Each structure stands twice: as structure tokens, then as C-alpha cells.
């Protein structure tokens, strides 16, 4: 009989897990950018991928699921410098108020954060003035990130459904 054997890496009790990963010191990074969620026109950046049978009869669009690949920009203007992309999905998850479950990976494409990501997962009550959502991870510069994002609607077009959202990010990482 052949036995398989796996050696698990264990830290010594006197070693901390941070030191065993050779991550260095914790860092605090604050970022500010704008998220452009464009659902109209010839080149939408977010689109419906599914909906429940009751979605069209729901005052909150309950059951609607959207997929996004939205630009992140330095300023609120659509022509502002792109610093990354928000890629993921959001779905209407509240039957009584407008609120979405937001699951996004913010991929940064500029400067020292190029190639790094922050993962956001949480409830986004979109009609509230400022919404707080948790950072649940990250890669690259933002390895093992945690923290929060504050989202505030900068503009919303009731006719088209297009939105620009201001983000203030506080990330703790290694």
C-alpha cells in the first residue's frame, strides 16, 4: 500500500504568523477615485445577466443581477484618467428598500498599484448618502488587505440609469 504524506508548515509558538510569512510591517493606504457604472448607450460597462420572475413587479428590482467591468477614474469626469477597473457583480437583494449585494474586484492599472487588486464584498444600500462596505482581501501591493470603502453617489441619471460614484478607500495591508 502506498501512503501519501503531507508536511504542513507549522510556526513555532514564539513566532507570529506575520513573521512566518515574511510580509513585513502593516501599511495603511488611502485611495480616492470615481466608479463609472454605465448601463446605457452603445458601450455599457454593466449589464443585466439574470433576473427573477418577480423582478419586474418588485419596487426594489429584487432578484436583478448585473455584471460590471466599470472604469475607475481619478476625477468624476468620464474623460478623467483611468486608474483601474471594477470587475464583478451586484444584485438587488432587498425586497423592501433599494439595496444591492456588491461583490467587486478593484483592479488598479496605474502607478505603484498597477496589477494589484482590492476585493469588496458587502451590502450597498444605494439610496443612502454614504455607504460603507468591507474590503475582504487583496493581491499585489494589497496582499492580505482588510479595511473599508466609503461610497457616495456623485451623479445618477434617472433616465439612463448611469451612475458615477465617489470612493474613499482605507486599506490595511502588507
Amino acid at each position: 500500500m502506498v501512503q501519501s504524506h503531507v508536511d504542513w508548515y507549522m510556526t513555532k509558538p514564539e513566532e507570529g504568523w506575520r513573521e512566518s510569512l515574511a510580509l513585513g510591517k502593516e501599511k495603511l493606504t488611502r485611495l480616492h477615485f470615481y466608479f463609472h457604472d454605465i448601463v446605457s448607450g452603445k458601450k455599457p460597462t454593466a449589464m443585466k445577466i439574470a433576473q427573477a420572475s418577480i423582478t419586474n413587479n418588485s419596487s426594489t428590482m429584487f432578484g436583478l443581477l448585473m455584471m460590471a467591468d466599470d472604469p475607475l477614474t481619478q476625477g468624476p469626469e468620464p474623460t478623467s484618467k483611468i486608474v483601474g477597473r471594477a470587475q464583478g457583480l451586484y444584485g438587488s437583494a432587498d425586497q423592501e428598500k433599494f439595496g444591492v449585494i456588491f461583490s467587486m474586484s478593484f483592479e488598479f492599472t496605474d502607478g505603484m498599484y498597477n496589477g494589484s487588486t482590492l476585493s469588496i464584498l458587502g451590502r450597498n444600500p444605494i439610496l443612502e448618502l454614504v455607504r460603507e462596505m468591507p474590503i475582504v482581501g487583496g493581491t499585489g501591493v494589497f496582499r492580505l488587505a482588510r479595511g473599508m470603502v466609503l461610497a457616495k453617489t456623485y451623479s445618477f441619471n434617472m433616465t439612463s440609469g448611469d451612475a458615477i460614484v465617489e470612493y474613499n478607500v482605507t486599506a490595511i495591508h502588507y
Side-chain angles (χ1 to χ4, degrees):
M1 175 192 297
V2 176
Q3 289 185 325
S4 64
H5 178 75
V6 176
D7 286 323
W8 293 98
Y9 179 76
M10 300 292 289
T11 60
K12 297 176 190 169
E14 66 272 8
E15 287 184 314
W17 67 272
R18 288 182 186 102
E19 292 80 12
S20 70
L21 292 175
L23 294 171
K25 293 187 183 259
E26 274 188 340
K27 298 170 192 72
L28 173 70
T29 299
R30 292 202 166 118
L31 302 170
H32 178 256
F33 51 83
Y34 293 83
F35 170 100
H36 297 258
D37 196 49
I38 309 303
V39 296
S40 68
K42 294 180 181 179
K43 288 187 150 193
T45 62
M47 60 184 58
K48 177 173 53 174
I49 58 170
Q51 75 177 39
S53 60
I54 65 164
T55 298
N56 290 335
N57 297 324
S58 168
S59 62
T60 64
M61 301 299 290
F62 180 70
L64 177 67
L65 186 60
M66 302 286 288
M67 182 67 68
D69 182 12
D70 293 335
L72 302 174
T73 63
Q74 244 177 9
E77 304 80 18
T79 56
S80 183
K81 180 180 180 181
I82 293 178
V83 296
R85 312 247 1 134
Q87 298 170 325
L89 41 94
Y90 57 91
S92 182
D94 195 320
Q95 295 186 59
E96 297 177 14
K97 321 180 246 189
F98 280 106
V100 300
I101 294 298
F102 192 81
S103 177
M104 290 280 171
S105 181
F106 290 172
E107 176 195 21
F108 298 98
T109 57
D110 187 59
M112 68 183 287
Y113 305 119
N114 185 25
S116 298
T117 66
L118 286 171
S119 297
I120 315 302
L121 174 62
R123 185 174 185 281
N124 184 350
I126 56 179
L127 295 181
E128 289 185 13
L129 181 62
V130 178
R131 287 91 66 194
E132 181 179 331
M133 292 173 282
I135 296 171
V136 297
T139 64
V141 170
F142 298 116
R143 187 169 291 122
L144 291 176
R146 64 189 190 285
M148 65 173 202
V149 300
L150 296 176
K152 181 178 180 183
T153 301
Y154 178 84
S155 68
F156 177 70
N157 184 314
M158 291 288 286
T159 304
S160 69
D162 296 346
I164 299 172
V165 181
E166 180 181 14
Y167 273 84
N168 285 291
V169 176
T170 301
I172 299 168
H173 56 95
Y174 293 93

